[in-house]
Amino acid sequence: MIHQSLKLFSILCLGVLLNACHKRLDVLPPNTLTSEDVFKTEAGYTQFLAKAYSSMALTGSNGPGSSDIAGIDAGTADFLRLYWKAQELSTDEAVVAWNDPGIQDFHNMNWGAQNPMLTGLFARCVYVISICNEFLRESTPEKLSSRGLSSIQGKITQMRAETRFLRAYQYWVLMDLWGNPPFATDADGIGKINPPQTNRTQLFTYIENELKAIDGDLAAPRTNEYGRADKAAAWALLARLYLNAGVYIGTPKFTEAITYSKRVIDAGYTLLSNYRWLMLADNNLNNPEFIWTLNYDGINTRNFGATTFLVNGSVGGDMDQTVSGLGGWGGIRTTKNLPLLFPDINGNGDTRAQFVQGSQNLEINNISDFKDGLAVIKYRNRTRTGGFGKDPERTFSDVDFPVFRLAEMYLIYAEAVKRGGSGGTDALAVSYLNALRTRAQVTAGSIGTYDLNYILDERARELYWEGFRRTDLIRFARFTEASYLWPWKGGVKDGTGVDPNRKLFPIPSRELATNPNLKQNPGY
């Protein structure tokens, strides 16, 4: 079953072990097997699909420290760890004590085209897309017929739809962070051809059309194996796409955001009863809120990035390491702006507040001192009953990461309604917002009305450290602007506004050097 491949990934050692060609989307990553070897059986297709999924959860197929991407160290090759840094360290929600090359650039907002972490994230996105393109090239009806596999066409049709979803998601990441990436699909041949550069408007339309085109071939909501995409995952990405359409293409699409968020909401998902169970080691069990996840296992899916990074990295100083269930790397914590959105930091007035003060300081005088800034214990490798995760050495995490969950859909619906989208109501939006407050046991009770400032703050309270904040602040015109500051924004202790071109990251230098079709984003 593909589920076993997604959670355990042991199937990957059977041969689909690829080393990415970092610069071209139209080149199959080199490997020791030919396509005829890999795709000669149904199992081969299943394994390759598992590889597409696992490429977002692992850095390489040979365990921790390995990297699938040529020229990229495993330390800067993990999708979630790098995506999280780009989305969170650049905002008021997170700072880091470490001084790895390029890591302080995020909060200082002075990154350049040679930043190794941005280079690694860009390469990872390109790598996943290249795998998806190859699967699609090799799974056409003609290819199946030539291999005597026409009988599995139905299964392959769904696999193709999932692969197109994964590709669309990665293109969304590239569009959101870089705006104008290189573009190639399975329709492009394999060879030494530099892909053309696309732009946000073209890519927005492509992603939108792809997600709609695959709707009929994806599994119905909540019927696919855990960790695999279904119709609701595609709807959720469409809702997120439409919510940010004003930023991406200059044309608001809040009515569409209402339509697709409501479609997910009506698909049978419900909120997990306890907010503090969302990011635990057993968050895969009986969880009706998660729509699509990246899956991790402390024994079989070992990776120093992903949620292993989020659990270990957020523990340090004098903190009790047993709280997290893993070790303490003493790295990431938050600025005061986040905890001050809650009634108190201990969760008494809102259980979503998961901070540790102890000997930590609310104020940050020295970013490199872990004790400056409150610690965040949202991600813990403990179970709901208090047990520890699977890894007996307490190094690697079992915490799955929800790329989409129901609470985000509630918040998209409410924001799109307040921004003037049609087809929704304030009353229903308020009921969704109050459902989040009820789950969080907010002592102030329910709300009767809300505004956009409430939405931005509520998104922080509900979704902090889940990779949303940069995109949210840009949509609310508070990312580069001097009108909203946080400690050490722009490298200044009290914060400062920065060049608005910082709303996009620079195309990595190594991409520009190898593809003459690419032009750098403005300001870099």
Side-chain angles (χ1 to χ4, degrees):
M1 295 176 68
I2 291 179
H3 170 72
Q4 293 173 321
S5 300
L6 297 177
K7 188 68 180 175
L8 305 181
F9 302 107
S10 58
I11 199 169
L12 297 179
C13 67
L14 296 178
V16 193
L17 309 180
L18 309 177
N19 292 308
C21 175
H22 77 269
K23 59 183 180 293
R24 294 192 177 95
L25 285 166
D26 57 340
V27 179
L28 170 63
N31 60 78
T32 58
L33 301 174
T34 68
S35 59
E36 293 305 318
D37 292 324
V38 173
F39 295 107
K40 63 184 179 182
T41 64
E42 178 181 345
Y45 282 97
T46 301
Q47 292 164 21
F48 208 93
L49 177 62
K51 178 63 181 178
Y53 277 104
S54 72
S55 293
M56 286 184 286
L58 298 172
T59 60
S61 300
N62 296 319
S66 66
S67 176
D68 282 327
I69 304 176
I72 298 291
D73 183 83
T76 55
D78 177 65
F79 172 73
L80 180 55
R81 180 170 183 165
L82 297 173
Y83 181 70
W84 189 93
K85 288 175 180 177
Q87 289 287 86
E88 297 289 354
L89 288 179
S90 60
T91 76
D92 54 348
E93 287 192 352
V95 293
V96 64
W98 306 323
N99 288 299
D100 306 52
I103 197 169
Q104 292 298 343
D105 296 353
F106 289 111
H107 208 77
N108 290 335
M109 305 184 87
N110 64 354
W111 49 76
Q114 294 185 338
N115 182 286
M117 295 180 185
L118 292 174
T119 298
L121 179 56
F122 192 99
R124 174 57 59 178
C125 295
V126 166
Y127 175 68
V128 177
I129 291 168
S130 72
I131 293 175
C132 292
N133 284 342
E134 182 60 12
F135 182 91
L136 294 169
R137 290 189 190 102
E138 295 294 335
S139 59
T140 63
E142 294 76 16
K143 290 282 189 179
L144 292 175
S145 177
S146 71
R147 292 164 181 153
L149 296 174
S150 295
S151 62
I152 64 170
Q153 180 64 64
K155 294 179 181 179
I156 296 298
T157 296
Q158 181 179 322
M159 290 184 186
R160 286 177 59 86
E162 291 179 47
T163 304
R164 291 170 71 180
F165 167 80
L166 297 178
R167 182 176 62 182
Y169 174 75
Q170 288 296 329
Y171 269 128
W172 171 78
V173 172
L174 289 170
M175 180 182 67
D176 186 77
L177 273 65
W178 284 279
N180 311 292
F183 180 78
T185 71
D186 53 293
D188 297 289
I190 298 175
K192 294 183 178 180
I193 303 170
N194 290 308
Q197 187 169 28
T198 188
N199 59 53
R200 268 185 162 175
T201 299
Q202 294 170 339
L203 197 48
F204 182 98
T205 300
Y206 169 79
I207 296 168
E208 178 185 30
N209 290 341
E210 275 289 279
L211 293 173
K212 290 182 177 180
I214 62 178
D215 184 75
D217 294 329
L218 289 168
R222 303 169 58 243
T223 64
N224 210 347
E225 294 170 287
Y226 180 74
R228 290 178 65 181
D230 59 18
K231 292 179 188 293
W235 300 339
L237 182 52
L238 278 166
R240 192 184 291 180
L241 182 76
Y242 288 133
L243 183 69
N244 292 286
V247 173
Y248 298 151
I249 61 174
T251 303
K253 291 186 176 289
F254 297 118
T255 295
E256 291 87 343
I258 290 171
T259 298
Y260 280 92
S261 59
K262 188 65 164 59
R263 193 170 292 182
V264 178
I265 291 168
D266 291 343
Y269 298 94
T270 57
L271 295 177
L272 187 64
S273 61
N274 188 330
Y275 182 87
R276 295 190 174 190
W277 289 352
L278 283 169
M279 304 301 175
L280 295 182
D282 55 356
N283 64 346
N284 61 308
L285 301 177
N286 302 315
N287 191 333
E289 182 168 350
F290 288 179
I291 299 164
W292 179 51
T293 57
L294 301 181
N295 299 346
Y296 302 96
D297 183 286
I299 298 295
N300 298 293
T301 317
R302 293 186 162 189
N303 175 9
F304 286 111
T307 57
T308 290
F309 155 72
L310 292 172
V311 176
N312 284 290
S314 56
V315 177
D318 299 326
M319 294 174 62
D320 179 0
Q321 293 187 10
T322 62
V323 173
S324 74
L326 296 180
W329 296 353
I332 47 177
R333 61 263 190 239
T334 187
T335 77
K336 63 183 179 182
N337 289 38
L338 177 60
L340 291 179
L341 292 174
F342 293 89
D344 62 82
I345 66 170
N346 299 314
N348 295 322
D350 186 329
T351 59
R352 295 173 296 188
Q354 297 181 84
F355 306 102
V356 173
Q357 186 161 20
S359 61
Q360 301 292 124
N361 303 309
L362 181 66
E363 300 290 341
I364 300 175
N365 291 310
N366 180 4
I367 279 187
S368 296
D369 184 350
F370 180 83
K371 290 187 176 182
D372 277 6
L374 294 192
V376 176
I377 53 170
K378 184 172 185 174
Y379 295 87
R380 297 187 297 123
N381 205 48
R382 302 292 299 269
T383 67
R384 298 172 191 178
T385 57
F388 289 90
K390 296 179 181 178
D391 181 9
E393 297 179 358
R394 297 185 186 175
T395 299
F396 296 101
S397 169
D398 300 300
V399 181
D400 294 342
F401 183 84
V403 181
F404 301 107
R405 61 183 179 93
L406 180 62
E408 182 198 357
M409 298 300 109
Y410 284 173
L411 290 161
I412 288 176
Y413 181 94
E415 181 178 340
V417 166
K418 191 56 65 176
R419 289 188 183 273
S422 301
T425 67
D426 266 20
L428 189 54
V430 166
S431 73
Y432 292 152
L433 296 174
N434 280 328
L436 299 180
R437 293 171 67 89
T438 298
R439 196 251 301 265
Q441 301 175 36
V442 177
T443 55
S446 299
I447 59 169
T449 60
Y450 69 99
D451 59 18
L452 287 175
N453 287 329
Y454 177 87
I455 289 294
L456 180 60
D457 290 349
E458 185 67 359
R459 286 184 67 91
R461 286 186 286 262
E462 178 69 29
L463 302 172
Y464 68 94
W465 279 36
E466 293 182 42
F468 291 97
R469 192 60 169 172
R470 171 189 158 274
T471 302
D472 287 351
L473 290 177
I474 290 173
R475 190 173 64 257
F476 279 82
R478 299 185 189 181
F479 184 60
T480 61
E481 292 78 3
S483 57
Y484 179 66
L485 302 177
W486 56 82
W488 297 101
K489 176 180 179 177
V492 175
K493 183 178 180 181
D494 294 327
T496 186
V498 301
D499 186 338
N501 287 317
R502 296 280 157 179
K503 293 178 183 178
L504 284 178
F505 289 114
I507 304 294
S509 294
R510 81 180 214 157
E511 304 295 333
L512 296 172
T514 56
N515 186 347
N517 294 328
L518 302 181
K519 294 181 180 180
Q520 186 56 276
N521 286 329
Y524 296 101

